[in-house]
């Protein structure tokens, strides 16, 4: 069954956790003991109805504050599709968590309050969704009951966001008027908004077309480790194991092992003791090559006709996630696929103006949650693609050497 990964984003109190709770409730993905706990919480608080947002507020602190401060993942399925939801925070100081949730998502649910319309966080999260290559976005105009289910209010917001999505180049945007707490236009069309003729949210999630984009890309296998069993059954066995980061591998394919640049041919594609006729992203496999090549973790086996860029220096866009300010000359460990190298940020080439939705001038620093373009030089060559071509081989993180904290998430623009 096909899997759809999506995230919810938007400002605090716009109803993200409630929407997820409603989706889980309407698809009967809630356990009996969870329902009993919600009912006890309702009786204790004296509220008229159960608080579905509690289903995703995994941390006690969140419940006490009534906000989401970490990424919470939930799972559910329908007869048509399986789903993984990333519930991301709405506060601006937790933008880094939104980036984390968006990094593997196919689709983004961007919520806003119908009374407030488009605010800065709406633009910020739409920009990040576009930056991270999310092709499908649903603008959920929530709390329509508080604007009397007004079609004109909805159309005004929809038209205003159309200008935002056009500026960002978002390819697929659908706006849906909803009331998450009551389930209006969630699992089925609402009788209170007969003027809306589009699909209910769940129907759209079940039917949105996901292109098999990963398998169409150039073949890439970042090597995680080398298999050498040294057993009587596999005396001469030697294979490169990892998760396919793009494209497909078949026996007989011409490949190149990078960064050494050694050409070879795929002898077999192995998985759990069997030889496969073909393996596609994101399968985990082992490749046996026709030649005895010296390579290990961090190497990349790539399609010979369409190799990645090999360079020590590149331009990238980053989301700065640290309380410490980033300044040119800062040094980090850079984790890219299975390879970790030392790196220095040579320059901050531009910062993002979220009001104008365009790049601003260069800067001497980036602060927490700032978005900007930088030039990075590594101590050793990396094998990468532009993020626009491959999200797996075009992304990286910067790590503080002393604390081992993740300081930034990055998307490679081009090699230098």
């Amino acid at each position: 069954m096909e899997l759809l990964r999506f995230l919810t984003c938007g400002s605090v109190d716009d109803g993200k956790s409630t929407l997820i709770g409603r989706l889980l409730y309407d698809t009967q993905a809630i356990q009996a003991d969870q329902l009993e706990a919600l009912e006890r919480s309702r009786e204790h608080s004296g509220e008229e109805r159960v608080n579905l947002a509690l289903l995703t507020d995994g941390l006690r602190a969140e419940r006490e504050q009534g906000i989401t401060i970490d990424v919470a993942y939930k799972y559910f399925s329908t007869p048509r599709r399986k789903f993984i939801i990333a519930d991301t925070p709405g506060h601006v100081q937790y933008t880094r968590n939104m980036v984390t949730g968006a990094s593997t998502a196919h689709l983004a649910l961007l919520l806003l309050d119908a009374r407030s319309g488009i605010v800065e966080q709406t633009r910020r999260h739409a920009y990040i969704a576009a930056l991270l290559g999310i092709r499908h976005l649903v603008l959920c105009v929530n709390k329509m009951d508080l604007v009397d289910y007004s079609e004109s209010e909805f159309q005004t917001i929809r038209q205003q966001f159309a200008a935002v999505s056009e500026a960002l180049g978002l390819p697929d945007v659908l706006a849906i008027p909803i009331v998450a707490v009551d389930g209006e236009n969630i699992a089925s069309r609402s009788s209170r908004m007969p003027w809306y003729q589009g699909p209910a949210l769940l129907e759209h999630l079940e039917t949105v077309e996901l292109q098999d984009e990963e398998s169409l890309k150039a073949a890439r296998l970042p090597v995680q480790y080398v298999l050498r069993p040294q057993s009587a059954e596999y005396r001469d066995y030697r294979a490169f194991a990892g998760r396919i980061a793009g494209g497909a591998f078949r026996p007989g394919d011409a490949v190149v092992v990078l960064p050494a640049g050694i050409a070879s041919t795929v002898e077999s594609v192995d998985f759990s003791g069997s030889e496969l006729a073909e393996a596609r992203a994101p399968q985990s496999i082992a490749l046996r090559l026709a030649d005895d090549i010296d390579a290990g973790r961090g190497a990349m086996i790539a399609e010979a006709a369409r190799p990645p860029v090999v360079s020590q220096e590149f331009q990238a866009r980053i989301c700065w996630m640290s309380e410490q300010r980033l300044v040119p000359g800062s040094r980090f460990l850079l984790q890219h696929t299975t390879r970790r190298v030392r790196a220095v940020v040579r320059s901050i080439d531009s910062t993002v103006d979220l009001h104008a939705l365009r790049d601003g001038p260069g800067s001497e620093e980036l602060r927490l949650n700032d978005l900007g373009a930088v030039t990075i030089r590594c101590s050793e060559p990396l094998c990468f693609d532009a993020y626009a071509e491959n999200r797996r081989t075009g992304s990286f993180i910067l790590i503080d050497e002393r604390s081992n904290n993740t300081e930034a998430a990055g998307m490679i623009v081009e090699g230098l």
Side-chain angles (χ1 to χ4, degrees):
M1 187 182 293
E2 192 174 39
L3 172 67
L4 174 69
R5 304 176 69 105
F6 67 95
L7 79 151
T8 57
C9 52
S11 295
V12 64
D13 290 334
D14 281 352
K16 297 182 292 300
S17 297
T18 300
L19 174 60
I20 293 176
R22 173 56 63 177
L23 282 169
L24 298 175
Y25 182 84
D26 287 349
T27 55
Q28 300 180 340
I30 305 175
Q31 302 295 326
D33 59 335
Q34 291 177 304
L35 285 173
E36 292 173 1
L38 290 178
E39 183 60 31
R40 287 196 299 272
S41 176
R42 184 196 67 77
E43 293 174 355
H44 179 73
S45 63
E47 296 175 343
E48 294 183 357
R49 51 191 166 192
V50 297
N51 185 356
L52 294 173
L54 295 179
L55 289 168
T56 58
D57 290 343
L59 301 176
R60 181 179 296 276
E62 294 180 5
R63 297 193 182 194
E64 292 173 348
Q65 298 178 55
I67 62 172
T68 302
I69 60 175
D70 202 350
V71 182
Y73 290 95
K74 288 292 180 180
Y75 313 86
F76 71 97
S77 63
T78 69
R80 306 173 75 171
R81 186 171 269 176
K82 294 190 293 186
F83 302 91
I84 298 177
I85 317 168
D87 179 23
T88 64
H91 283 72
V92 63
Q93 63 264 43
Y94 301 120
T95 298
R96 54 189 172 185
N97 302 79
M98 188 267 174
V99 173
T100 301
S103 61
T104 58
H106 302 107
L107 180 146
L109 299 184
L110 179 54
L111 275 81
L112 55 78
D113 188 322
R115 297 169 299 177
S116 307
I118 297 172
V119 297
E120 181 176 342
Q121 276 297 73
T122 312
R123 292 171 175 269
R124 181 186 297 273
H125 288 179
Y127 185 94
I128 293 173
L131 184 64
L132 292 179
I134 295 177
R135 296 184 57 81
H136 309 284
L137 188 144
V138 180
L139 183 70
C140 296
V141 183
N142 194 20
K143 305 184 183 182
M144 287 296 297
D145 55 324
L146 301 183
V147 294
D148 295 328
Y149 306 99
S150 168
E151 180 181 9
S152 63
E153 295 281 355
F154 171 74
Q155 294 297 349
T156 297
I157 294 171
R158 186 184 66 80
Q159 292 169 8
Q160 290 174 345
F161 190 77
V164 175
S165 62
E166 182 178 353
L168 295 175
L170 290 165
D172 178 30
V173 178
L174 173 68
I176 303 179
I178 66 170
V179 183
V181 69
D182 292 333
E184 304 287 351
N185 279 334
I186 304 298
S188 59
R189 293 267 294 276
S190 170
S191 61
R192 292 174 174 170
M193 291 175 275
W195 44 265
Y196 174 69
Q197 299 298 309
L201 177 59
L202 185 58
E203 179 186 356
H204 182 65
L205 295 176
E206 287 181 316
T207 58
V208 63
E209 185 174 351
L210 301 178
Q211 296 179 351
D212 190 12
E213 298 166 349
E214 296 300 323
S215 64
L216 297 176
K217 300 180 187 300
R220 305 281 187 261
L221 180 75
V223 175
Q224 290 183 328
Y225 51 88
V226 181
L227 295 176
R228 299 192 67 182
Q230 302 289 338
S231 64
E233 184 179 2
Y234 298 98
R235 186 176 301 278
D236 298 320
Y237 188 91
R238 187 168 187 269
F240 300 98
R243 186 183 186 191
I244 301 176
F249 288 94
R250 308 169 192 81
D253 283 353
V255 296
V256 60
V257 182
L258 298 167
I262 303 172
S264 188
T265 304
V266 176
E267 187 170 279
S268 71
V269 181
D270 300 339
F271 175 75
S272 189
S274 301
E275 294 187 12
L276 306 178
E278 178 184 85
R280 292 179 171 273
Q283 284 181 269
S284 294
I285 57 161
L287 290 182
R288 277 189 291 160
L289 302 183
D291 303 281
D292 187 14
I293 294 172
D294 182 17
R297 181 179 176 84
M300 182 179 290
I301 301 175
E303 183 177 333
R306 295 186 292 174
V309 176
V310 181
S311 176
Q312 285 184 249
E313 191 164 326
F314 56 83
Q315 289 185 324
R317 292 185 177 277
I318 65 170
C319 175
W320 184 243
M321 299 176 170
S322 174
E323 300 283 353
Q324 303 294 325
R325 298 179 183 182
L326 172 68
V327 297
S330 299
R331 297 179 181 276
F332 304 94
L333 295 175
L334 185 149
Q335 182 74 49
H336 171 259
T337 63
T338 58
R339 191 173 181 83
R340 180 173 290 193
V341 299
R342 297 184 184 280
V344 59
V345 176
R346 293 173 62 96
S347 60
I348 301 172
D349 305 320
S350 66
T351 55
V352 176
D353 183 342
L354 289 172
H355 292 285
L357 296 175
R358 65 186 180 192
D359 289 343
S363 174
E364 291 302 314
E365 64 178 23
L366 287 182
R367 300 185 180 187
L368 176 65
N369 294 318
D370 277 352
L371 302 167
V374 298
T375 297
I376 293 177
R377 183 170 180 80
C378 302
S379 59
E380 302 172 30
L382 289 185
C383 314
F384 58 82
D385 297 285
Y387 185 84
E389 298 174 3
N390 189 315
R391 293 173 74 178
R392 297 181 186 276
T393 59
S395 59
F396 63 91
I397 58 173
L398 297 178
I399 303 167
D400 185 289
E401 290 185 81
R402 292 166 296 181
S403 66
N404 212 34
N405 290 332
T406 299
E407 303 287 86
M411 287 67 68
I412 297 174
V413 177
E414 61 180 353
L416 298 175

